């Protein structure tokens, strides 16, 4: 380091071989900083002559005007709706957003949260599916305004805004059963996350409660997009099993199902009924318009943001709802069963 160059936090991180977020934790004496990290960072600071200064303190004040948001993938319209809702509340409170992608991967989620903590410090809205509950509890202890959305952890229940995925899939399956369907397939997400587990469980429980069989060959797991839905439907058709209805993990998968059925001259809902999940924008513009399960992500995101801002200020706030319930949106893709047993 030359004499006329002032060391920065980036220089310290590079010298210590750690992330900027780790350096920040050491400087701020966070309990998340491990002994080895503390030792290497302190050694690097001493070697480089780095001292936390007025600029660093000014950054802390600046960070009080930001809200961090972690989503799976910003390119997914579902998470675009989440971010837009958070931004609306943020703007009303003179805040700006910083956004990270986690891609349902533990390493990506962890690194994104650490960077958001370093940048935002007080308010975080976290959609994390791959990290353990223990890690998220630890982050919640470090950040006063950390709120989990679409996840429920009993130990930090007051920081959670969640959705009843089980009930949604149960409701969708039961609606198909009420329309006379017995041979109901389920095209699930191939992500190993609680949403896919809970929706599968709801589907199976509805079949069980109505004394209908639930053979494994009626369930496939695919990528969570229209191409995945198309591939899943083709896989089901290739099995040559009787199918009168399909429940899709989300509306984009359902759109792919529609495409596959159209290619094979199978009419919806006359020959196969179809129900989606989420009530995203696409559900209203495919043909036929999708019957689906409404997932009130915008309302949930606004509640989560208000809760985060109140917690960051150490103010009392009780959300109207902590676990949101699904509702059925009836359109044109479900009809009475015409398949003979």
């Amino acid at each position: 380091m030359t004499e006329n160059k002032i060391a920065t936090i980036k220089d310290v991180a590079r010298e210590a071989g750690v992330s900027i977020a780790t350096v920040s934790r050491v400087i701020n004496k966070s309990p998340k900083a491990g002994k080895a990290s503390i030792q290497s960072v302190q050694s690097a600071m001493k070697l480089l002559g780095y001292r936390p200064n007025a600029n660093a303190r000014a950054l802390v004040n600046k960070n009080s005007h930001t809200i961090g948001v972690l989503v799976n993938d910003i390119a997914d319209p579902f998470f675009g709706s989440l971010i837009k809702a958070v931004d609306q509340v943020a703007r009303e409170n003179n805040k700006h957003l910083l956004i990270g992608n986690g891609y349902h991967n533990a390493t990506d989620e962890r690194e994104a949260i650490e960077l958001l903590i370093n940048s935002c410090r007080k308010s975080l809205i976290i959609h994390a599916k791959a990290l353990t509950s223990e890690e998220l509890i630890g982050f919640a202890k470090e950040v006063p305004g950390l709120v989990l959305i679409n996840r429920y952890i009993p130990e930090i229940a007051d920081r959670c805004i969640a959705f009843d995925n089980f009930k949604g899939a149960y409701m969708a399956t039961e609606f198909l059963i009420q329309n006379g369907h017995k041979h109901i397939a389920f095209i699930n997400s191939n992500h190993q996350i609680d949403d896919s587990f809970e929706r599968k469980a709801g589907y199976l429980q509805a079949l069980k409660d109505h004394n209908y069989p639930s053979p494994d060959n009626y369930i496939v797991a695919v990528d969570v997009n229209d191409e995945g839905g198309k591939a899943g439907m083709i896989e089901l058709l290739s099995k040559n099993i009787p199918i009168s209805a399909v429940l899709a993990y989300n509306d984009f998968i359902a759109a792919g199902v529609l495409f596959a059925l159209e290619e094979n001259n199978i009419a919806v809902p006359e020959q196969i009924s179809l129900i989606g999940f989420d009530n995203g924008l696409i559900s209203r513009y495919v043909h036929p318009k999708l019957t689906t399960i409404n997932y009130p992500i915008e309302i949930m995101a606004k509640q989560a943001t208000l809760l985060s801002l109140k917690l960051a200020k150490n103010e009392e706030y009780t959300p109207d709802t902590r676990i949101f319930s699904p509702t059925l949106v009836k359109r044109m893709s479900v009809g009475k069963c015409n398949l003979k047993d």
Side-chain angles (χ1 to χ4, degrees):
M1 180 69 62
T2 59
E3 291 184 3
N4 61 350
K5 182 179 179 182
I6 299 174
T8 67
I9 193 170
K10 290 183 179 179
D11 296 323
V12 175
R14 190 182 303 111
E15 179 67 30
V18 299
S19 68
I20 294 174
T22 298
V23 176
S24 178
R25 287 178 175 180
V26 174
I27 292 171
N28 291 288
K29 298 181 180 179
S30 166
K32 292 284 287 185
K35 291 183 180 179
S37 296
I38 293 172
Q39 192 171 37
S40 60
V41 169
Q42 288 178 341
S43 297
M45 289 170 62
K46 184 176 181 180
L47 176 66
L48 299 175
Y50 176 84
R51 295 288 185 276
N53 55 24
N55 288 337
R57 289 191 292 273
L59 182 61
V60 171
N61 292 331
K62 182 180 178 182
N63 287 342
S64 66
H65 296 291
T66 59
I67 297 176
V69 185
L70 175 68
V71 296
N72 170 44
D73 185 352
I74 193 174
D76 186 326
F78 176 86
F79 293 105
S81 297
L82 186 160
I83 292 168
K84 184 176 181 180
V86 173
D87 187 54
Q88 182 178 335
V89 177
R91 287 174 178 272
E92 292 170 356
N93 289 273
N94 299 313
K95 306 288 184 181
H96 299 283
L97 299 190
L98 290 176
I99 302 166
N101 290 318
Y103 301 113
H104 289 163
N105 176 276
T107 300
D108 290 332
E109 288 182 355
R110 186 181 301 110
E111 290 179 353
I113 291 174
E114 287 179 347
L115 288 172
L116 289 171
I117 288 174
N118 185 52
S119 301
C120 304
R121 300 183 186 276
K122 289 187 176 182
S123 294
L124 296 181
I125 311 300
I126 301 298
H127 186 287
K129 294 294 184 177
L131 287 178
T132 64
S133 296
E134 289 72 23
E135 279 194 274
L136 290 170
I137 291 169
F139 282 127
K141 291 178 180 177
E142 185 176 351
V143 182
L146 185 148
V147 173
L148 297 179
I149 188 166
N150 193 25
R151 184 159 176 176
Y152 181 80
I153 300 176
E155 292 85 347
I156 51 172
D158 60 333
R159 306 285 198 97
C160 298
I161 301 293
F163 178 75
D164 195 337
N165 282 287
F166 176 94
K167 183 178 178 181
Y170 188 103
M171 180 183 296
T173 308
E174 189 166 57
F175 180 64
L176 292 171
I177 292 171
Q178 289 168 352
N179 278 273
H181 296 280
K182 296 181 180 179
H183 303 287
I184 303 169
F186 178 41
I187 303 182
N188 199 7
S189 164
N190 58 12
H191 289 144
Q192 298 298 301
I193 59 175
D194 52 4
D195 296 50
S196 56
F197 301 147
E198 291 165 3
R199 292 181 195 184
K200 180 180 177 180
Y203 156 80
L204 292 173
Q205 189 62 50
L207 292 176
K208 181 180 179 181
D209 288 350
H210 289 270
N211 299 312
Y212 289 167
S214 53
D216 290 341
N217 61 343
Y218 274 77
I219 303 173
V220 297
V222 301
D223 292 336
V224 189
N225 52 41
D226 57 330
E227 288 297 323
K230 178 182 176 183
M233 192 66 239
I234 290 173
E235 180 181 342
L236 287 168
L237 291 174
S238 70
K239 294 179 180 181
N240 196 29
I241 54 179
I243 298 173
S244 67
V246 176
L247 166 61
Y249 173 84
N250 71 5
D251 295 331
F252 279 95
I253 288 177
V257 171
L258 280 172
F259 188 78
L261 292 174
E262 183 180 358
E263 279 191 333
N264 286 274
N265 298 312
I266 299 173
V268 176
E270 291 80 6
Q271 293 172 275
I272 291 183
S273 286
L274 174 64
I275 187 165
F277 208 108
D278 287 348
N279 193 28
L281 186 63
I282 194 173
S283 66
R284 299 190 285 278
Y285 291 101
V286 294
H287 180 75
K289 294 180 180 180
L290 273 176
T291 294
T292 185
I293 295 297
N294 185 55
Y295 191 127
I297 189 60
E298 294 91 350
I299 299 173
M300 292 171 62
K302 289 178 181 179
Q303 286 275 21
T305 309
L306 288 171
L307 176 59
S308 175
L309 292 172
K310 291 294 185 180
L311 289 172
K313 295 179 182 178
N314 196 30
E315 295 178 357
E316 290 291 329
Y317 178 71
T318 302
D320 295 335
T321 307
R322 291 193 183 275
I323 300 180
F324 283 75
S325 186
T327 53
L328 180 68
V329 180
K330 298 179 183 179
R331 294 196 180 101
M332 307 300 295
S333 64
V334 173
K336 295 293 183 180
C337 179
N338 293 317
L339 182 66
K340 296 180 181 179
D341 288 336

